[in-house]
Amino acid sequence: MYSSSWQTKFQRKIQKKVYQLLPTDKILKRPVFIVGCGRSGTTILGKMLSQHSEIAYFNEPRDIWLCATQTDIWTRKAQVRSGKLKLTAADLTPEIASRIKNEFAVRIRLKNGSRLVEKLPINSFRIGFLNALFPDALFIHLLRNGLEVAQSIATLAETKPWFGRKDYKWNLLKDYAVARGDGELVELSTNNFLKGILEWRLSVESSREGLSNLASDRWIEIRYEDLLENAIAVCTTLEQFIGLEPSQEMRQFAATQINRKSPRISQNSLSPAIEQIAGELLTRLNYTYGKEELLK
């Protein structure tokens, strides 16, 4: 007699084969992509949205994106695959588009969902690529204080290869900064905190530049601070933006699971290096605070 686990695996294999034969257009209508620098809260935002019954949520599905091998900037094969930081419409071929769409469609059906929501922070540099792949896609850009993002990156980089194996991702970030005329900022990035600040700046600027090329009703910007302080209101905002019915499950998750897990970083004076790397952007986004804020 076959075990139940073997039967389940066999059934899913058959399901997948059947789903591969079905059309992809309807199941992939108006997919949603969460973008934003890594360590900005994109994971918790994605988990909140995943509570909605209509949503099939995918958290960093790098294996799907490997249908386009140049998306790889993390693995040991990244260099051999000529992994790229920024991808545009020019990097998409009909064959690659078909493979990615088919894989997403199959997995959405396996999850019994009807709307795709995907989160992968590096897609902040690939909005042109995503737009060419899904011309009706919606985008959620999550913003967080760059000082907090950099601190989180620096902490994680102590134990994990945040900047890629053998610094492959960091080298791509450096090349990207130089190509934008910001080579002097690379020289200032002498530790993981400063590298994190530069990654934050490049990610935020790339996201905003890519989104500015789209119709205004196709993207929304959410602040991490607003998510922490009024997650229920953010639920409503995102349901209206995506076109979803209100979800009590989302609200329950928001009320019980979303809270600050690291100290707020506020300072009214920046080191010369931080000031040069990201001071203007921090100020423009209102992420530098006066002394009265430091007391909070």
Side-chain angles (χ1 to χ4, degrees):
M1 181 178 292
Y2 298 120
S3 68
S4 59
S5 63
W6 185 92
Q7 288 177 320
T8 300
K9 289 179 181 178
F10 181 74
Q11 288 169 349
R12 287 182 67 83
K13 187 174 181 179
I14 294 298
Q15 276 184 310
K16 187 171 182 178
K17 290 290 185 182
V18 171
Y19 291 157
Q20 285 173 338
L21 302 176
L22 299 177
T24 63
D25 290 347
K26 187 174 181 180
I27 198 72
L28 291 174
K29 186 176 181 181
R30 299 179 74 215
V32 181
F33 294 96
I34 300 171
V35 297
C37 186
R39 313 309 296 171
S40 291
T42 55
T43 296
I44 195 67
L45 178 62
K47 286 182 178 179
M48 184 181 81
L49 286 169
S50 75
Q51 306 306 305
H52 200 289
S53 60
E54 295 178 39
I55 284 177
Y57 174 61
F58 296 86
N59 179 45
E60 304 194 17
R62 298 177 187 179
D63 58 325
I64 295 179
W65 292 116
L66 275 177
C67 291
T69 55
Q70 69 267 43
T71 63
D72 182 13
I73 63 171
W74 299 279
T75 75
R76 294 182 179 87
K77 296 181 179 180
Q79 188 167 4
V80 174
R81 289 168 170 162
S82 300
K84 298 168 66 176
L85 181 73
K86 187 174 182 65
L87 295 174
T88 69
D91 294 294
L92 187 67
T93 66
E95 293 76 17
I96 289 174
S98 178
R99 290 202 297 271
I100 293 174
K101 288 181 177 181
N102 186 262
E103 192 62 35
F104 269 123
V106 167
R107 298 200 196 185
I108 292 168
R109 289 185 169 106
L110 287 172
K111 283 176 174 279
N112 296 317
S114 58
R115 288 290 293 279
L116 165 64
V117 174
E118 189 266 10
K119 184 273 286 189
L120 183 64
I122 208 66
N123 279 339
S124 297
F125 296 93
R126 299 169 178 178
I127 290 172
F129 181 84
L130 295 177
N131 183 54
L133 181 61
F134 298 108
D136 63 344
L138 302 178
F139 295 86
I140 302 169
H141 181 212
L142 188 61
L143 276 175
R144 185 183 182 186
N145 184 342
L147 302 175
E148 294 182 0
V149 170
Q151 184 59 62
S152 183
I153 287 174
T155 300
L156 198 63
E158 293 177 3
T159 57
K160 295 183 179 180
W162 176 265
F163 293 106
R165 296 181 184 276
K166 297 183 179 180
D167 278 346
Y168 188 81
K169 186 179 86 167
W170 173 243
N171 290 330
L172 293 177
L173 286 165
K174 288 196 300 183
D175 292 344
Y176 181 76
V178 169
R180 292 167 62 88
D182 292 325
E184 73 281 2
L185 303 183
V186 174
E187 300 302 319
L188 293 170
S189 303
T190 55
N191 58 46
N192 286 334
F193 181 89
L194 295 173
K195 289 179 179 179
I197 281 283
L198 181 57
E199 180 176 354
W200 172 80
R201 171 180 169 169
L202 296 176
S203 177
V204 170
E205 290 181 341
S206 180
S207 292
R208 288 186 145 196
E209 288 167 8
L211 295 172
S212 70
N213 293 320
L214 307 180
S216 60
D217 62 350
R218 290 185 55 200
W219 62 277
I220 190 171
E221 205 163 65
I222 299 291
R223 288 187 179 247
Y224 178 70
E225 297 74 23
D226 292 336
L227 180 63
L228 292 178
E229 293 170 12
N230 201 343
I232 302 299
V234 172
C235 283
T236 300
T237 297
L238 292 180
E239 286 165 345
Q240 292 172 351
F241 171 68
I242 298 171
L244 299 170
E245 292 296 320
S247 166
Q248 291 306 312
E249 290 77 11
M250 271 179 60
R251 283 161 176 75
Q252 177 68 16
F253 182 92
T256 60
Q257 301 298 316
I258 297 183
N259 51 70
R260 181 173 283 279
K261 294 181 173 59
S262 57
R264 178 179 178 180
I265 297 180
S266 307
Q267 60 188 84
N268 63 339
S269 63
L270 303 174
S271 71
I274 296 174
E275 184 66 53
Q276 285 186 256
I277 295 171
E280 186 277 332
L281 183 57
L282 285 165
T283 300
R284 181 152 42 97
L285 296 175
N286 198 30
Y287 280 132
T288 50
Y289 309 104
K291 290 182 180 180
E292 67 279 3
E293 289 291 326
L294 292 172
L295 300 175
K296 293 184 178 180

